[in-house]
Amino acid sequence: MTSAYFSGSSEAGPRSAGKILGAARTVLSQQGYPGLTIEAVAAEAGVGKSTIYRWWPNKEALIADALAQVFRADEIPDLGDTHAELRQAVDMTISNYDNDEMAASLPALAVGLLPNPDLMARFREVFLLRKRENIAVALRRAADRGDLPHDVDTDLVQDVWAGTILYRRLMTGEVLDEHLAEHLVKIVTASPEQFSHKSCP
Amino acid sequence: MTSAYFSGSSEAGPRSAGKILGAARTVLSQQGYPGLTIEAVAAEAGVGKSTIYRWWPNKEALIADALAQVFRADEIPDLGDTHAELRQAVDMTISNYDNDEMAASLPALAVGLLPNPDLMARFREVFLLRKRENIAVALRRAADRGDLPHDVDTDLVQDVWAGTILYRRLMTGEVLDEHLAEHLVKIVTASPEQFSHKSCP
């Protein structure tokens, strides 16, 4: 439970946190990011606006916590099979963006937080670091097996994966299907030397 | 000149269109996307708010036209050299996102337009189609040379390029340098079979 994370509070948040964050996701799916107001979330959750403002200073902080609860950052188990593990990493990334709320809200959130480096750093902590580290573990396991370079650039791999997926979802509107997932895995496994830190221009 | 494009008007826009769109970019770079108001653009341009509203129904339409004027969608000349042409395509894509206004505003715009399929279609027309078609010409030329598969999936190549670039710029904040540009070209040229329409899972 990461409630009130963006508020910077070390306490656990209000008792109604679960209800409020669930209401925020409901309003998000109905109204979209630009249309979401604290008023609408308060009404949906059946609490007063002041309860929300006590814990979340603004819309960005509330949405960040609401999305953090459903954002997947699973560990990838050792399956003894590089292709299967990387496919699991790609599938998890797709599932994080394969719904309108997340696809539209995460970039909108990032845009809203860009002018504020502290909040942007927290955003990256919540939505990028844990997922990226868990996927990096699988990539380094693949390197240990000799399937990827020993100095695999785990950031580049994940920028290509998450970037392509987010771009399709948000900008071109194309589907995120099995076909894409398989290509994304093979782009890495078919030319692993392109994902080595050493292969400089 | 694409002024008043998003308004759907067939006329050329107000005489002050250039001044208004330039003012919109100035305000965007100073205030960021979330902070931009029609009032601020009117003040910066030295025109009345009603002049702006007469041509652009809302903030999204105004920003779309302001960014369309500076978004690059150049043709890639035939250089007789696949690597050089693809590098030019990647460099153009990087230059489109390598400033705060564009990096933050394009995704924010897309998010704002997602609920409106007509405006989203126009957004794709203005910011994706021409650039993508011009780059596709270079990719098909590479295929004719035998450097890429004859049925090269020009959409997938560009989703990988633009996606990785946008994601780095917006989400991770990493630099968009020569190193990245070279990797993005080689990801395609080093495993071209992964960018063939035929290579199904």
Side-chain angles (χ1 to χ4, degrees):
Chain A
M1 177 69 169
T2 56
S3 70
Y5 187 88
F6 267 69
S7 73
S9 168
S10 58
E11 299 179 54
R15 285 231 301 265
S16 49
K19 202 164 60 173
I20 291 169
L21 296 176
R25 289 191 296 272
T26 300
V27 173
L28 209 50
S29 68
Q30 288 166 353
Q31 316 275 334
Y33 183 93
L36 180 142
T37 61
I38 299 287
E39 286 79 354
V41 175
E44 176 73 28
V47 303
K49 280 197 323 186
S50 60
T51 302
I52 297 182
Y53 277 118
R54 198 172 306 133
W55 292 91
W56 293 278
N58 52 43
K59 167 175 164 170
E60 284 74 23
L62 177 64
I63 295 179
D65 283 339
L67 294 182
Q69 283 194 323
V70 293
F71 190 79
R72 288 181 55 196
D74 312 347
E75 288 181 27
I76 312 289
D78 184 346
L79 302 171
D81 175 341
T82 292
H83 183 277
E85 290 180 25
L86 302 199
R87 178 62 190 269
Q88 198 163 318
V90 169
D91 286 345
M92 177 169 75
T93 306
I94 286 180
S95 83
N96 271 334
Y97 291 110
D98 203 12
N99 61 74
D100 279 338
E101 298 95 83
M102 199 70 97
S105 304
L106 267 191
L109 252 182
V111 167
L113 301 177
L114 268 184
N116 184 327
D118 286 348
L119 283 184
M120 193 66 206
R122 278 167 183 277
F123 173 87
R124 292 188 174 125
E125 222 172 295
V126 171
F127 290 105
L128 301 181
L129 292 191
R130 193 158 57 93
K131 182 184 71 138
R132 285 171 86 89
E133 184 44 37
N134 281 339
I135 293 180
V137 167
L139 291 168
R140 286 193 289 265
R141 205 154 52 215
D144 290 342
R145 286 187 199 114
D147 294 335
L148 294 179
H150 72 280
D151 64 342
V152 57
D153 185 341
T154 62
D155 285 328
L156 180 62
V157 172
Q158 299 195 64
D159 291 346
V160 168
W161 284 349
T164 305
I165 289 164
L166 180 60
Y167 189 85
R168 283 215 163 185
R169 193 63 186 70
L170 180 64
M171 305 288 270
T172 70
E174 281 167 73
V175 291
L176 306 176
D177 56 10
E178 176 127 339
H179 190 81
L180 175 67
E182 201 56 25
H183 274 300
L184 289 176
V185 170
K186 287 191 180 153
I187 283 169
V188 176
T189 56
S191 66
E193 70 283 0
Q194 287 316 313
F195 295 90
S196 155
H197 270 295
K198 281 228 193 70
S199 84
C200 294
Chain B
M1 177 68 169
T2 56
S3 69
Y5 189 88
F6 267 70
S7 74
S9 169
S10 58
E11 297 179 56
R15 285 232 301 267
S16 47
K19 201 164 59 174
I20 292 169
L21 296 177
R25 290 192 295 273
T26 302
V27 174
L28 208 51
S29 68
Q30 288 167 353
Q31 316 277 335
Y33 183 94
L36 181 142
T37 61
I38 299 286
E39 285 79 353
V41 175
E44 176 74 27
V47 303
K49 280 197 323 183
S50 60
T51 302
I52 297 182
Y53 277 119
R54 200 172 305 135
W55 293 91
W56 293 278
N58 51 45
K59 167 176 164 170
E60 284 76 23
L62 177 65
I63 295 179
D65 282 339
L67 294 181
Q69 283 193 323
V70 293
F71 191 80
R72 287 181 57 195
D74 311 346
E75 288 182 27
I76 311 289
D78 184 346
L79 303 171
D81 176 341
T82 292
H83 183 278
E85 291 180 25
L86 301 199
R87 178 62 190 271
Q88 200 163 318
V90 168
D91 286 346
M92 177 169 74
T93 306
I94 286 180
S95 83
N96 272 335
Y97 291 110
D98 204 12
N99 60 75
D100 279 340
E101 300 95 85
M102 199 70 98
S105 303
L106 267 192
L109 252 182
V111 167
L113 301 177
L114 268 184
N116 184 327
D118 286 349
L119 284 183
M120 194 65 207
R122 276 169 184 277
F123 173 87
R124 292 188 175 124
E125 221 173 293
V126 171
F127 290 104
L128 302 180
L129 292 192
R130 193 159 58 93
K131 183 184 69 136
R132 285 172 87 89
E133 185 44 37
N134 281 339
I135 293 180
V137 167
L139 292 168
R140 285 192 289 263
R141 206 154 50 217
D144 289 343
R145 286 186 199 113
D147 294 336
L148 293 180
H150 72 278
D151 63 341
V152 57
D153 185 340
T154 63
D155 286 327
L156 180 61
V157 171
Q158 299 196 64
D159 291 346
V160 168
W161 285 350
T164 305
I165 290 164
L166 180 60
Y167 190 85
R168 283 217 163 183
R169 193 65 186 69
L170 180 64
M171 305 289 270
T172 71
E174 282 167 72
V175 291
L176 305 177
D177 57 9
E178 177 128 339
H179 190 80
L180 175 66
E182 202 55 27
H183 273 301
L184 287 177
V185 169
K186 288 192 181 152
I187 283 170
V188 176
T189 55
S191 65
E193 69 284 0
Q194 287 317 312
F195 295 90
S196 155
H197 271 294
K198 281 227 194 69
S199 85
C200 294

